[in-house]
Amino acid sequence: MTLRDVAQLAGVSLSTASKALNGRTDVHPETRRRVLDTAERLSFKANSSARALHTGRTGTLGLITNDLEGRFSIPILMGAEDAAGAGEMSIFLCDAREDAIRESYHLRALLSRQVDGLIIVGSRTDPRPSLGHELPVPVVYAYAPSDSPEDLSVVPDNVAGGRAAVEHLVSLGRRRIAHIAGDRSWVAARDRVDGVHDYLTEQGLELAGGRPHYGTWSEGWGRGAVRAVIEATPDVDAIVCGSDQIARGVLEGLKGLGRRVPEDVALVSFDNWEPFARGSVPQLTSVDMNFEAMGRRAAQKLFAAMSGKVEQGVLTQPCRLVVRGSSIQGA
Amino acid sequence: MTLRDVAQLAGVSLSTASKALNGRTDVHPETRRRVLDTAERLSFKANSSARALHTGRTGTLGLITNDLEGRFSIPILMGAEDAAGAGEMSIFLCDAREDAIRESYHLRALLSRQVDGLIIVGSRTDPRPSLGHELPVPVVYAYAPSDSPEDLSVVPDNVAGGRAAVEHLVSLGRRRIAHIAGDRSWVAARDRVDGVHDYLTEQGLELAGGRPHYGTWSEGWGRGAVRAVIEATPDVDAIVCGSDQIARGVLEGLKGLGRRVPEDVALVSFDNWEPFARGSVPQLTSVDMNFEAMGRRAAQKLFAAMSGKVEQGVLTQPCRLVVRGSSIQGA
DNA sequence: TTGTATGCGTTATCAT
DNA sequence: ATGATAACGCATACAA
């Protein structure tokens, strides 16, 4: 099924058929209708290799991801699909599995496929090595920013997320707030801590126990840490947890200690990973990273760069507090 | 950077350069080396649109998925990447979001991009509508089988998985085994029940309480159901749970009832979704669906079909029991 | 063994 | 308004 067939059946020349299908001017309305009709009838779709060969644009994006479970990359992919609009763009998804060799391998393959742009998704918000500035197509880094200020990156605003979490608790009248955080070596953990600390300081408050408790991103850490927190500051009335998984551990620990959530201790966590956040009793109030919006934004910036509007630096994507039963009774 | 440039710098003609790079015979070793060297030096990669236009093969696969979180599709994608071998294939990932309109839309787009084959991933193992047999490229259905016997599908062997789960419990000496299953309307739930039932019957045993307990795929269902089970059959010494999430609820419920796991009651579940299976205390013994192997298999079958070896029917992919602390002390 | 010439399906330029 | 024709970059049949 080629354009030639369509042209023949419509009784026009190849070039007229092309113009008609591409919505160009200088083609009689009647002729255009006839061409469109026959194309529809034959369910003709232009061969995109041929088109790409001529136009130099393939209408494809490369998405290289490094998060093994696709927890970030699938929503980001969906956002990018949306941003592209009526399916003008198709996306190659490659999994680099945190391996630089594999990543550069995928990179070469994608460039050879003449993708129009690249989105690089990391597994944590710590800066990652830049792919360099010699690439023939624009690149946007998502979730993990590039370590080069000349690149463009989109990352979640974890500091604002931390503020939002603790602001919510304060607005509920809680004042003795502890923070059981994630892994100190992760920027995300420290950013969240910073946001919490900033807001408390502004309000003339401070963390129960005077400092955050760093650990690991696990339920086990939450279970263990909450014992220490309750022991050190028995009057604590709220806990900010570094992730939903930590919160699940904290919740379990609090039950074991006879504290009710949210009556005695309110909980707010991060990620809003629904299987975890909505599986517990009570469900978790959590700060959502807005991955899909991040994907949309990344793709939009990519399109902008493709049309010449290059931008640099790190853009932050607002987070969104989702309130559930762990912080408000009856929610 | 085109082949012409490479040829020019290597001092040969276009066609000689092409032959040299494509490893064809009838080219002087010395000449080939010179061409390969210059290609390497210029980091030349053939324009795949041009190649595709000529050969009719794009070296791309389309993967249309319907599972929102990418829990199935990412491992399946990885498996397919592996099966393709040294990165010969790139994969378009499209998310149809359980929407037939969107699916057919992606389908059209992928066909217009001349993908060499298609993998269609569903969100549950119930049969799904076939895309038809008029497609110009081979299709393999993964996880959710096609409802047409003329198509080729690869699905997890949930019946064998159910057998494996209960066989493990019986081998540990458990005899009063209950089954808190998932949603009865899902084939996966019924298959797992069937496997459990078959093995028990073979062994002259039967389920504690005489029948499985169907519900929903949630922690909440597990929490509630386990109370009823313990009440009805207080001497139960093992429970097969329809999913890891159900098992998490069951585990929590058992603790509330003062039963120890695994000493009093052993637990086996399905999915081996690590964040859940490894987050609890004890960790969950679980039946893994082997998604990555499923992806490899699907891709292999696709490649076979692409080279003429068409197959039909539903292939089952073996599951794998992962033993952890919920069934064996000290594990 | 090497080079010349042709075609893949499309778009774009230029006559008509 | 329409149509002939030349690219796009590569692979191959065929001539040298």
Side-chain angles (χ1 to χ4, degrees):
Chain A
M1 232 1 68
T2 84
L3 185 56
R4 164 174 274 111
D5 302 323
V6 177
Q8 220 145 31
L9 265 90
V12 298
S13 79
L14 201 59
S15 51
T16 302
S18 172
K19 287 174 198 160
L21 286 172
N22 291 321
R24 310 202 35 134
T25 63
D26 292 343
V27 46
H28 196 84
E30 160 64 19
T31 310
R32 184 190 304 278
R33 206 189 45 70
R34 211 165 63 243
V35 173
L36 287 173
D37 278 4
T38 42
E40 176 65 23
R41 195 155 48 79
L42 302 185
S43 70
F44 165 83
K45 287 285 281 176
N47 178 322
S48 37
S49 297
R51 167 178 287 150
L53 188 54
H54 190 270
T55 62
R57 311 188 103 225
T58 53
T60 62
L61 252 41
L63 177 35
I64 302 183
T65 180
N66 286 287
D67 71 315
L68 300 182
E69 296 139 18
R71 199 167 122 227
F72 310 153
S73 43
I74 292 284
I76 288 177
L77 174 83
M78 288 173 62
E81 271 182 356
D82 282 354
E88 297 303 293
M89 289 268 170
S90 295
I91 303 180
F92 286 116
L93 182 59
C94 307
D95 195 334
R97 305 171 208 188
E98 307 267 23
D99 174 3
I101 308 276
R102 214 186 296 261
E103 182 172 281
S104 73
Y105 192 81
H106 282 309
L107 178 62
R108 274 182 69 87
L110 289 172
L111 290 179
S112 131
R113 292 194 185 282
Q114 318 282 117
V115 293
D116 296 332
L118 287 166
I119 299 178
I120 311 295
V121 179
S123 61
R124 42 194 285 193
T125 61
D126 299 70
R128 49 146 289 146
S130 171
L131 294 180
H133 314 289
E134 304 301 311
L135 297 177
V137 295
V139 184
V140 174
Y141 297 80
Y143 201 67
S146 162
D147 61 7
S148 161
E150 298 173 50
D151 289 323
L152 180 63
S153 308
V154 182
V155 303
D157 191 344
N158 274 310
V159 178
R163 294 181 66 91
V166 72
E167 180 175 4
H168 171 64
L169 291 171
V170 169
S171 80
L172 296 172
R174 311 287 169 145
R175 291 295 179 274
R176 293 174 300 281
I177 302 171
H179 186 8
I180 299 179
D183 187 324
R184 164 180 257 137
S185 68
W186 291 49
V187 166
R190 300 199 299 275
D191 281 350
R192 290 164 184 182
V193 165
D194 287 349
V196 169
H197 178 264
D198 290 356
Y199 184 79
L200 286 179
T201 304
E202 285 173 22
Q203 301 296 312
L205 299 169
E206 65 172 11
L207 275 177
R211 58 173 188 80
H213 303 267
Y214 286 104
T216 69
W217 300 105
S218 68
E219 290 186 66
W221 160 241
R223 266 190 299 267
V226 71
R227 296 189 159 276
V229 166
I230 292 292
E231 206 159 306
T233 51
D235 62 345
V236 66
D237 60 11
I239 302 178
V240 178
C241 303
S243 74
D244 294 327
Q245 292 180 72
I246 292 173
R248 290 295 299 261
V250 167
L251 184 58
E252 195 179 328
L254 285 174
K255 281 183 190 168
L257 295 166
R259 308 281 172 129
R260 293 166 305 165
V261 175
E263 295 85 345
D264 302 326
V265 181
L267 251 43
V268 177
S269 56
F270 292 87
D271 294 347
N272 191 32
W273 195 9
E274 299 223 349
F276 277 98
R278 308 191 57 169
S280 58
V281 178
Q283 298 188 355
L284 302 176
T285 292
S286 191
V287 178
D288 191 291
M289 298 287 109
N290 280 334
F291 288 125
E292 198 165 333
M294 199 158 90
R296 261 197 305 276
R297 185 111 171 267
Q300 281 158 355
K301 292 298 176 187
L302 203 51
F303 301 150
M306 278 157 31
S307 57
K309 302 189 208 309
V310 278
E311 238 177 294
Q312 300 183 329
V314 177
L315 304 177
T316 54
Q317 179 68 31
C319 300
R320 178 171 52 94
L321 182 77
V322 179
V323 178
R324 300 202 184 87
S326 72
S327 66
I328 294 202
Q329 228 171 324
Chain B
M1 232 2 66
T2 83
L3 185 56
R4 164 176 273 113
D5 301 325
V6 177
Q8 221 144 31
L9 263 91
V12 298
S13 80
L14 204 59
S15 58
T16 302
S18 172
K19 288 174 197 162
L21 285 172
N22 291 322
R24 311 208 30 134
T25 64
D26 293 343
V27 47
H28 196 84
E30 161 63 21
T31 311
R32 184 191 305 277
R33 206 189 45 68
R34 211 167 62 245
V35 173
L36 287 174
D37 279 3
T38 42
E40 176 67 23
R41 195 155 48 77
L42 303 183
S43 70
F44 165 82
K45 287 285 281 176
N47 179 321
S48 38
S49 297
R51 165 179 285 147
L53 190 54
H54 188 270
T55 62
R57 314 187 99 226
T58 52
T60 61
L61 252 41
L63 178 33
I64 301 183
T65 180
N66 287 287
D67 70 313
L68 300 182
E69 296 140 18
R71 197 166 124 228
F72 310 151
S73 42
I74 290 284
I76 288 177
L77 174 81
M78 288 172 63
E81 270 182 355
D82 282 354
E88 298 302 294
M89 288 270 172
S90 296
I91 302 179
F92 286 116
L93 183 59
C94 307
D95 196 332
R97 305 170 206 187
E98 308 266 24
D99 174 1
I101 307 277
R102 216 187 295 261
E103 182 171 280
S104 72
Y105 193 80
H106 282 309
L107 177 63
R108 275 182 71 87
L110 290 172
L111 291 179
S112 131
R113 292 193 186 283
Q114 318 282 116
V115 293
D116 296 333
L118 287 166
I119 299 178
I120 311 295
V121 179
S123 61
R124 41 194 287 191
T125 62
D126 300 70
R128 48 147 290 148
S130 170
L131 293 181
H133 314 289
E134 305 300 311
L135 297 176
V137 295
V139 183
V140 174
Y141 298 80
Y143 201 68
S146 162
D147 61 6
S148 160
E150 299 173 49
D151 289 324
L152 181 63
S153 309
V154 182
V155 303
D157 192 344
N158 274 310
V159 177
R163 294 181 66 93
V166 72
E167 180 175 3
H168 171 64
L169 291 170
V170 169
S171 80
L172 296 172
R174 311 287 170 146
R175 292 295 179 271
R176 294 174 298 281
I177 302 171
H179 186 8
I180 298 178
D183 187 324
R184 163 179 258 137
S185 69
W186 292 49
V187 166
R190 299 198 301 272
D191 280 350
R192 290 165 184 181
V193 164
D194 287 349
V196 168
H197 178 264
D198 289 355
Y199 183 79
L200 286 179
T201 303
E202 283 173 24
Q203 300 296 312
L205 299 169
E206 66 173 9
L207 276 177
R211 57 172 189 80
H213 303 267
Y214 285 105
T216 69
W217 300 105
S218 68
E219 291 184 68
W221 161 242
R223 266 192 297 268
V226 70
R227 297 190 160 275
V229 166
I230 292 292
E231 207 160 305
T233 52
D235 62 345
V236 67
D237 61 10
I239 302 178
V240 178
C241 303
S243 74
D244 294 327
Q245 293 180 72
I246 292 173
R248 290 296 298 262
V250 168
L251 184 57
E252 195 178 328
L254 286 173
K255 281 184 189 165
L257 296 165
R259 308 282 172 126
R260 294 166 306 165
V261 176
E263 295 85 344
D264 303 326
V265 181
L267 251 41
V268 178
S269 56
F270 292 88
D271 294 346
N272 191 32
W273 194 9
E274 299 222 349
F276 276 98
R278 308 191 58 168
S280 59
V281 178
Q283 297 187 355
L284 302 175
T285 292
S286 191
V287 178
D288 192 291
M289 298 287 111
N290 280 334
F291 288 124
E292 198 164 335
M294 200 158 90
R296 265 197 302 276
R297 184 111 170 267
Q300 282 158 355
K301 292 298 176 187
L302 203 51
F303 301 150
M306 277 156 34
S307 57
K309 301 188 208 311
V310 277
E311 239 177 293
Q312 300 181 329
V314 176
L315 304 177
T316 54
Q317 179 68 32
C319 300
R320 177 172 52 94
L321 182 77
V322 178
V323 177
R324 299 202 185 87
S326 72
S327 67
I328 295 201
Q329 228 171 326

